[in-house]
Amino acid sequence: MKNGLKIFTFVLGVLLFYSYVGQTVPQKITYPPESMDLSGDMTTAELVTVGEEIVAEKGTCLGCHTVGSQASGLRFPDLGGIGGAASTRIEGMSDVEYLAQSLYDPDTYIVDGFHPGMPAINRPPIGLTRQEILAVIAYLQSLGGEPSVTLQTVLSYHSESAATVPVVADGTGGSAAAALFTTYLCTTCHVIDSPARGVGPSLYDVGARLSPAQIRESILDPDATITEGYAPGVMKATLDAIGFYDKVTDEELVSFIDFLTSLGGE
């Protein structure tokens, strides 16, 4: 009886100790990017400044685009001079209309030499608001053109943001692991519900192609093995840009690997 009481007391003490430690150690929490509250009296010049910030940060545009560079292996077109070229891309379409279409419905017009796959930035995982998109358009107009957009500019697209998460192949669209794909913007570049080509390789059947160890390496060292037809450096630059390696926890990494391993392409 005395031995049982001692064991119980010891176990209780250990549990209380680790509970205390767990409460005192700072926890990593990953939050989605916050939407900007843009005032209605902002000038076009102020929108250009805000739009440049959104392009570099929340929009994660520079993970796939450059501005004023013709680097080889670029996944999507360079944005240098787009403000001047936008009004000439589609006959009868103004620069504002073309840029809005490129952001809300990017696969409608594909620049020669490039592939479809850019996500609509008003939807998850990026989810820019109408005001933020107007700011981005103002910035893009400034790249070789004359900015004219204000927060009162009316676009033919009205959806603020579709608050849905795509359901993936194994039906785990609502799972914690699938939610991480939205949090860390993975679906910006990777398709997970079909073998369709995106900015990065489709992950539709990655569990059948790679071992858990290979999947782990592809996350932590994405340039170690490059899928044929894709350029090195893009995934690493994108993950660095959103602070993935600083934010992701060991538990989240395990969830990523388990989730990807489960994707067999069926």
Side-chain angles (χ1 to χ4, degrees):
M1 182 66 178
K2 289 183 178 180
N3 287 337
L5 182 60
K6 288 180 180 179
I7 292 173
F8 173 77
T9 303
F10 173 76
V11 171
L12 181 61
V14 170
L15 291 175
L16 289 174
F17 172 75
Y18 280 108
S19 177
Y20 169 76
V21 171
Q23 294 298 319
T24 57
V25 174
Q27 302 296 308
K28 280 188 175 181
I29 304 177
T30 302
Y31 297 100
E34 295 183 359
S35 296
M36 292 187 175
D37 184 16
L38 307 183
S39 61
D41 59 354
M42 290 184 71
T43 66
T44 297
E46 290 171 332
L47 281 181
V48 169
T49 300
V50 172
E52 183 176 12
E53 180 182 341
I54 294 172
V55 163
E57 297 179 7
K58 182 180 178 181
T60 67
C61 309
L62 301 185
C64 300
H65 295 277
T66 55
V67 180
S69 170
Q70 297 298 326
S72 61
L74 199 64
R75 298 308 307 163
F76 289 143
D78 177 72
L79 298 177
I82 185 60
S87 63
T88 66
R89 286 282 170 82
I90 299 178
E91 186 176 355
M93 184 175 283
S94 70
D95 59 338
V96 175
E97 293 171 331
Y98 171 77
L99 292 171
Q101 176 182 276
S102 299
L103 298 173
Y104 281 100
D105 194 7
D107 285 345
T108 299
Y109 176 87
I110 307 298
V111 176
D112 288 344
F114 293 89
H115 298 280
M118 173 179 159
I121 68 172
N122 64 311
R123 298 186 183 128
I126 300 175
L128 297 189
T129 66
R130 182 188 66 82
Q131 290 181 324
E132 290 169 335
I133 289 175
L134 285 170
V136 170
I137 291 175
Y139 169 63
L140 295 177
Q141 282 186 300
S142 76
L143 301 177
E146 187 65 33
S148 62
V149 167
T150 70
L151 290 179
Q152 286 70 48
T153 298
V154 177
L155 304 175
S156 57
Y157 298 87
H158 302 290
S159 174
E160 282 289 319
S161 179
T164 57
V165 178
V167 177
V168 297
D170 65 349
T172 59
S175 71
L180 290 175
F181 264 67
T182 297
T183 299
Y184 288 115
L185 309 181
C186 305
T187 49
T188 301
C189 299
H190 297 283
V191 176
I192 55 178
D193 58 358
S194 81
R197 180 187 179 95
V199 178
S202 170
L203 301 179
Y204 175 67
D205 61 347
V206 66
R209 294 185 288 106
L210 301 179
S211 68
Q214 290 172 318
I215 291 173
R216 179 185 178 86
E217 181 185 59
S218 70
I219 296 172
L220 298 180
D221 187 10
D223 288 336
T225 303
I226 305 298
T227 301
E228 185 177 354
Y230 292 88
V234 175
M235 178 173 171
K236 180 66 163 57
T238 302
L239 293 179
D240 284 340
I242 66 172
F244 174 82
Y245 295 111
D246 294 326
K247 297 175 182 177
V248 70
T249 65
D250 290 340
E251 292 78 9
E252 289 174 334
L253 185 58
V254 170
S255 292
F256 267 119
I257 295 169
D258 289 345
F259 173 61
L260 292 172
T261 301
S262 74
L263 300 180
E266 298 179 357

